[in-house]
Amino acid sequence: MKPPVHRIGGFLLLASTDRGFPYATGRLALKPIMGSWKLLCGALLLWACPSFAQYAGMGELIYPEKLWADLDVVRDAIHQAHPDPYRYVTKGELDQEFDALRDSIRTPLTTDRFVAKLMPVLQRIGDGGLRVELDQRTMQRIREQSTMLPLRVRLIEESLYIEEELKGFRTFPPGSRIVSVNGISAARILSECGAWVIADGANESRRRFVIEKEIPLLFVLTYGNAAAYVVEVETPDGRRMEEVLTGMREEEMQRMRKPEGVAMHPWRSTWESETATLWVTLSSLDPDVLARSGQRPASFLTAMRKELEVNKARNLVIDIRGCTGTELAVAEQVFAAVALAPFRIVQGMTSRPGPWQSVEGMVDLPDQHVASIGRNYLPARHGVVALRPDDPRLALLDPRKSAFRGTVFVVCDGGTRQAAAALAMLAKRSGRARLVGEETGSNAHSFTGGHELAVTMPNSGVKLHVPLVRYLPDGSPDGPADHGEQPRHSAHQQPWGVAKGRDTVKMALIEMIRALQ
């Protein structure tokens, strides 16, 4: 059975080898213990951990000549297959980046350090849809040997706040601000863990979202594994405290994070009687995710319209924070339930004509995409193919006669990507809804997605995923060209809400609805 592969949009799964255990633990050993016997035991536990003593890096050493060959495969794949590689960097500048990287590789590197060196080049492209996976052996080591920081956090105004301890304990009060972990300051953690995040352009909300959701893994990838973590915090009432937390393996953390009951459903709704508001949460627009949960979009939307009618709802909130999915047809279904005029999700789609088969390495190219290029796209011009203007995906769609006619709000954040981001953009640009929250994780002018070209490097086993389609959302954005769709009403989670377990974005929106009525 193959180990599960982490596919977290916008950052790379790799473990640092030149800043592993000795680095993090050495810092801890030099840090004043403040008279705490528990912290001293934690420090000794780190030094005594067998995995620490034997730590030799995550990944196999590969000679420079072989890494140069793999680097050429990455370069060719991006030049030939990526639908928009020169948006933030010219072709010549990108080649200079690859050349400089090649020249810097003079000694054998582990696979993870090779990808770490590749990271700045990928960031120059500025596409969160471009992803890299480590070779399976290294990924299995991370999964089976790494113990991670057992905390769920929120990133608010460049500070990390503890939302929950995944072991179920309450060592720290919720809402405590992290000062340091193993002697590493929170500011430094944010800077260095954030270096693994690839966002669309200069999108900061996407960077915050990924760090927030994946800080345990990112910490291991950046600083190496530890059996225990010394965490220093400032509590909500201003006290400073330090405690030792035992690390958890990935499987344990996933088990602790698994929701139960109705919370497992990707689509769900709650009724807010005081404001006559139906709050609908959509956590995914992926048809496969919905099918596995047993939910059908058409059935859910029919039930939603009935609930709106029976309760005589005046307001509808569509909460798509953290929502993604590549299927635009699902976004069309959702918007059709509230649309009052003809609409379309995108005004254009482009791709590259190939030939992708000339890319070396093990290439996995979806047959559907190759067939679609020949059937649905115009002949290539300047190395780009565009979707035919008479394609049904570019046609205007009529709204439903039973569409909800009340006030609509759409809530989004840095996790709102691809089809969900396109839904948010359409809702705002058509004037049908007010956009609330943070900028979308996908770029407002165009973003990539759809089918992917997967290329496995012949020497390192590293796999590169290149999105093959560029989407141009309908309408015109009103924000910076290198950012996501901007909300009309900005709203963020607040530290006091983390402390009290309250969704302050939802609270603020409900209060605004109450004031508008």
Side-chain angles (χ1 to χ4, degrees):
M1 180 177 180
K2 293 183 179 180
V5 174
H6 299 280
R7 295 184 176 181
I8 303 171
F11 82 92
L12 310 178
L13 298 188
L14 39 140
S16 174
T17 58
D18 61 357
R19 291 181 297 179
F21 294 139
Y23 179 84
T25 311
R27 293 268 307 179
L28 179 60
L30 295 173
K31 188 177 186 298
I33 299 300
M34 299 173 64
S36 170
W37 175 250
K38 182 182 291 187
L39 294 179
L40 178 58
C41 290
L44 292 174
L45 178 60
L46 284 170
W47 280 107
C49 175
S51 62
F52 164 72
Q54 300 169 6
Y55 179 73
M58 295 282 187
E60 304 295 328
L61 280 172
I62 302 174
Y63 285 103
E65 294 80 4
K66 292 187 175 182
L67 294 177
W68 296 342
D70 282 5
L71 189 61
D72 288 340
V73 173
V74 174
R75 186 201 305 243
D76 290 345
I78 291 173
H79 279 321
Q80 295 183 36
H82 195 283
D84 193 20
Y86 315 126
R87 183 171 180 179
Y88 302 107
V89 61
T90 67
K91 184 178 185 297
E93 290 170 338
L94 189 57
D95 278 330
Q96 289 177 4
E97 293 279 352
F98 276 111
D99 292 340
L101 175 55
R102 187 182 191 279
D103 292 341
S104 73
I105 301 175
R106 294 299 178 186
T107 59
L109 297 174
T110 55
T111 54
D112 52 328
R113 296 318 299 162
F114 168 59
V115 180
K117 283 182 168 289
L118 178 62
M119 190 65 176
V121 179
L122 301 181
Q123 289 174 330
R124 289 296 306 274
I125 297 170
D127 177 19
L130 192 62
R131 299 181 294 111
V132 172
E133 294 174 9
L134 286 179
D135 59 289
Q136 291 187 2
R137 180 179 298 181
T138 303
M139 285 306 307
Q140 188 169 4
R141 287 180 182 174
I142 293 174
R143 179 188 175 222
E144 295 178 355
Q145 299 177 14
S146 296
T147 50
M148 303 179 187
L149 181 67
L151 295 175
R152 182 180 288 123
V153 303
R154 298 302 301 267
L155 175 49
I156 303 171
E157 295 180 352
E158 296 306 304
S159 292
L160 287 169
Y161 293 85
I162 296 176
E163 184 174 49
E164 182 184 4
E165 292 181 42
L166 294 175
K167 283 185 175 293
F169 304 135
R170 301 252 337 228
T171 310
F172 301 108
S176 295
R177 180 178 63 84
I178 295 176
V179 177
S180 67
V181 178
N182 288 357
I184 306 169
S185 71
R188 182 175 167 191
I189 291 170
L190 288 177
S191 174
E192 295 181 346
C193 288
W196 303 115
V197 180
I198 303 176
D200 283 10
N203 192 313
E204 280 297 300
S205 70
R206 179 61 183 169
R207 179 188 66 87
R208 291 193 298 269
F209 180 85
V210 174
I211 294 175
E212 198 175 75
K213 298 300 181 185
E214 302 297 337
I215 191 65
L217 180 58
L218 285 173
F219 192 93
V220 168
L221 302 178
T222 305
Y223 303 110
N225 182 46
Y229 295 87
V230 177
V231 182
E232 180 184 1
V233 307
E234 181 181 72
T235 65
D237 60 6
R239 292 180 295 113
R240 285 288 183 103
M241 61 183 296
E242 283 186 326
E243 294 289 346
V244 177
L245 301 179
T246 303
M248 295 178 67
R249 299 196 186 280
E250 181 196 54
E251 183 180 357
E252 296 176 282
M253 299 182 74
Q254 293 296 336
R255 190 164 57 245
M256 294 296 294
R257 287 172 169 172
K258 187 176 180 179
E260 298 179 353
V262 177
M264 294 182 64
H265 293 157
W267 290 15
R268 52 196 182 273
S269 65
T270 56
W271 175 247
E272 304 288 336
S273 58
E274 184 182 354
T275 56
T277 300
L278 184 65
W279 191 288
V280 175
T281 300
L282 310 180
S283 63
S284 177
L285 298 187
D286 188 323
D288 292 336
V289 172
L290 295 171
R292 286 195 298 269
S293 73
Q295 288 188 305
R296 297 180 179 179
S299 299
F300 180 91
L301 294 171
T302 297
M304 182 189 78
R305 287 192 293 270
K306 184 176 181 179
E307 188 173 3
L308 289 165
E309 181 180 355
V310 169
N311 290 322
K312 298 181 179 179
R314 294 193 296 271
N315 309 287
L316 171 64
V317 177
I318 302 175
D319 187 346
I320 49 176
R321 288 177 289 178
C323 182
T324 188
T326 60
E327 187 53 68
L328 296 179
V330 181
E332 292 173 345
Q333 284 182 279
V334 175
F335 191 75
V338 300
L340 301 180
F343 69 92
R344 64 180 180 179
I345 293 286
V346 295
Q347 58 182 303
M349 293 165 53
T350 64
S351 186
R352 303 291 289 279
W356 308 283
Q357 292 81 358
S358 63
V359 177
E360 294 186 11
M362 186 182 297
V363 177
D364 182 9
L365 178 65
D367 293 335
Q368 307 97 302
H369 182 76
V370 177
S372 177
I373 292 297
R375 182 178 62 247
N376 301 321
Y377 286 74
L378 296 170
R381 294 187 60 185
H382 308 294
V384 175
V385 292
L387 192 66
R388 295 180 180 276
D390 59 351
D391 189 279
R393 285 167 286 187
L394 303 184
L396 290 174
L397 301 175
D398 293 324
R400 294 179 177 273
K401 294 181 179 179
S402 58
F404 176 66
R405 308 188 72 83
T407 303
V408 180
F409 300 86
V410 174
V411 189
C412 58
D413 65 6
T416 307
R417 286 181 49 77
Q418 298 184 327
L423 171 62
M425 295 172 197
L426 177 61
K428 177 188 174 183
R429 297 175 191 183
S430 66
R432 183 63 187 96
R434 298 189 185 197
L435 206 59
V436 180
E438 304 176 57
E439 68 174 311
T440 59
S442 290
N443 184 264
H445 290 255
S446 71
F447 58 87
T448 65
H451 292 125
E452 292 181 338
L453 175 74
V455 184
T456 302
M457 304 302 119
N459 299 301
S460 64
V462 168
K463 182 179 289 188
L464 176 71
H465 293 263
V466 183
L468 294 174
V469 181
R470 177 193 180 201
Y471 298 96
L472 290 85
D474 201 34
S476 300
D478 56 9
D482 55 356
H483 281 265
E485 190 77 3
Q486 301 297 307
R488 178 176 176 182
H489 305 282
S490 180
H492 307 264
Q493 176 71 350
Q494 298 298 315
W496 67 264
V498 179
K500 295 181 179 296
R502 306 293 296 274
D503 182 350
T504 59
V505 174
K506 182 174 182 177
M507 293 175 65
L509 179 51
I510 292 296
E511 182 60 33
M512 183 175 74
I513 292 173
R514 186 182 296 111
L516 291 173
Q517 293 185 154

